[in-house]
Amino acid sequence: MSPALDHDIARAMERFLKRPMLSHEVAIMQNEAACPREQLERQVNSDQLRGDQEKWLAVDELEIEEMRRSALNFLEAKSEEEGGDALIGPGIGTYGKPVQRGSRGVVIAAGNHRTVERAVICIKEMQKLGWRGGIEVWHFDGELQDEKDLKMLKDLGVEIHVVSTKKKPDQWKNFELKAEAILRSSFDEVLYLDSDNFPLSDITTLFDAPLFTDPRGGQAVFWPDLNRDHPDNAIHRVLGIPCHDAWELDSGQILIAKSGNDGLNLAALYLAEHMQTEAGYWFSGGDKDTFRYAFLVLGIPYTPAPRWLALLGNNIRKGGEDLFCGAAMLQYGISPPRPEHADPSDPAHPEPLFIHANLLKHMAGFRQGEVFSHMRRLSLAQDDVRLLYGDGEVRPLDSIAGGAREILGRGLCSDIWSFGDSTTVETVDTKDAFGGLMAGFEQVYVGKSGRLGAWK
């Protein structure tokens, strides 16, 4: 290994390179033992399974070795270019200045007019709710050229920066700037937000939450998505570990201290950058799970948010059938709720914190007042991802699935459903849930933009 590589990173990568390299035929038994095929066939992203399964099965030991070596080569090249200590957190931030340990801030990715408009709405509400820390918006070179957009952000005290990562042409979405935006930011402790992600309360409390500050959890919190990795996915063999009990990530919000895990969290961000920019996302559906995979490469801990997500949307009638049309992922906080926002069915359940309106831009045919009228959720008594069950007991989270489908006249809608008798999915009126926390959400954001089209 390159002598420029930090000793702790070198040791972690050496252990990674020595992990078993198995063919699909050899590994499948252990992967199915940990992730039963019958269950995961229902919980995997079905589009990813159809599109990528053949590619997963074709990955052999030689390709695994090449992928692992490529990750090491990337870290070595960055170490030689930037200095061995540069990959250990808190690292070097904007303008080449050392990042101050314990500094806090928000990082948002936004470049075109629509994403900037949403980011402005998010920032205004974030500050109204109590956030007084720094905010940085990062974008690709060639974006954010409009003077009105620049002024809107600067008037809010936002610092604007450009990633060195080049925007890939002809992509459905360009996810490849997230890791660099976080690792190059001038903060140690970072809350990353997508531009279509909106907080419901003061995010300042996140940075002081025990689940984040406890070093045993790695000082990195990741929120869940609707799906899980399939046992056939070659990522398990690339990582050199069996399929494990974890949900995919919703990277619309990430809470991370670069100095966490004795500074190795920053090295994990560099690995995620490699996966996003040079390595085809490592069998992840976009950028989201590159962060989780990077932590698994280095063998360092992270903290899953304690509760599985819910959805925010509305009920519609199509062809004589009542359908739920989810427009946003609803992510819960990581601390006990404020008394006025506790849910009677589970008073200790964290209150909703983030509305990640990821599908609204793919929808049509909705009217104001009908977009976020209902919440679709797993029963609050069943959504604790940390809850342990005895032998023979069925975990409700093993019988829950989610995804998106096209509904004629409406567009892409998300939903969750159960496939087991022990799992309860319920639809709740938004204005009644959690002490009415979300009752005015739609009006707040539509009102700020003046039109529904600002979401799109």
Side-chain angles (χ1 to χ4, degrees), residues 94-402:
T94 54
Y95 311 114
K97 296 179 179 179
V99 174
Q100 181 180 352
R101 184 179 294 271
S103 56
R104 299 172 171 180
V106 175
V107 171
I108 299 174
N112 61 48
H113 178 69
R114 289 277 172 82
T115 57
V116 170
E117 191 172 28
R118 291 195 293 264
V120 167
I121 296 170
C122 171
I123 293 165
K124 285 182 177 179
E125 191 66 15
M126 193 161 41
Q127 292 174 337
K128 177 184 174 183
L129 290 168
W131 176 249
R132 297 295 178 264
I135 302 172
E136 294 179 356
V137 165
W138 289 74
H139 63 93
F140 289 109
D141 186 29
E143 294 184 328
L144 243 179
Q145 301 294 307
D146 187 275
E147 289 298 326
K148 291 182 180 179
D149 288 343
L150 290 167
K151 186 177 187 304
M152 281 194 298
L153 291 170
K154 290 178 180 178
D155 286 349
L156 293 170
V158 175
E159 289 198 12
I160 301 169
H161 300 284
V162 182
V163 294
S164 62
T165 298
K166 301 303 179 186
K167 187 175 184 178
K168 295 178 181 177
D170 304 321
Q171 298 288 307
W172 175 56
K173 288 186 179 180
N174 290 95
F175 307 104
E176 61 270 19
L177 81 166
K178 285 189 186 181
E180 185 186 351
I182 299 171
L183 71 89
R184 295 292 177 199
S185 71
S186 52
F187 316 117
D188 174 15
E189 300 177 6
V190 175
L191 174 64
Y192 170 83
L193 293 175
D194 278 354
S195 64
D196 56 0
N197 200 341
F198 307 95
L200 289 166
S201 60
D202 187 2
I203 60 169
T204 308
T205 59
L206 279 174
F207 293 92
D208 296 316
L211 279 180
F212 177 61
T213 60
D214 189 343
R216 294 173 298 179
Q219 291 187 274
V221 180
F222 298 144
W223 277 262
D225 206 337
L226 292 169
N227 304 113
R228 292 179 58 186
D229 289 328
H230 193 274
D232 284 347
N233 193 326
I235 189 58
H236 312 300
R237 296 186 288 122
V238 174
L239 293 171
I241 58 176
C243 182
H244 61 294
D245 183 17
W247 291 91
E248 293 180 0
L249 303 188
D250 167 20
S251 61
Q253 60 283 303
I254 292 172
L255 182 64
I256 187 169
K258 300 174 196 174
S259 58
N261 280 310
D262 295 322
L264 287 177
N265 284 3
L266 182 59
L269 289 171
Y270 273 94
L271 279 172
E273 180 189 18
H274 162 68
M275 297 176 200
Q276 293 172 21
T277 60
E278 298 184 1
Y281 300 107
W282 269 32
F283 307 114
S284 169
D287 68 277
K288 57 183 186 175
D289 284 291
T290 60
F291 298 98
R292 175 166 61 102
Y293 298 159
F295 274 70
L296 294 171
V297 165
L298 295 174
I300 54 178
Y302 65 86
T303 297
R307 301 291 181 147
W308 201 60
L309 72 159
L311 299 175
L312 203 57
N314 62 95
N315 289 325
I316 59 176
R317 187 89 176 160
K318 283 287 181 181
E321 183 182 5
D322 289 323
L323 302 173
F324 179 79
C325 179
M329 292 188 282
L330 188 65
Q331 298 287 3
Y332 297 105
I334 59 176
S335 300
R338 293 168 290 175
E340 65 271 27
H341 294 300
D343 191 290
S345 67
D346 185 355
H349 194 288
E351 64 192 73
L353 180 57
F354 295 112
I355 295 178
H356 184 191
N358 61 320
L359 288 187
L360 195 53
K361 52 185 171 287
H362 302 294
M363 296 172 66
F366 48 76
R367 293 179 294 179
Q368 187 172 339
E370 298 179 355
V371 183
F372 298 116
S373 60
H374 289 81
M375 176 183 181
R376 184 87 157 153
R377 69 189 188 188
L378 181 60
S379 166
L380 299 186
Q382 298 181 333
D383 70 355
D384 192 334
V385 301
R386 304 164 301 176
L387 203 59
L388 299 176
Y389 289 78
D391 292 340
E393 291 186 283
V394 179
R395 296 190 311 170
L397 281 165
D398 289 341
S399 302
I400 191 75

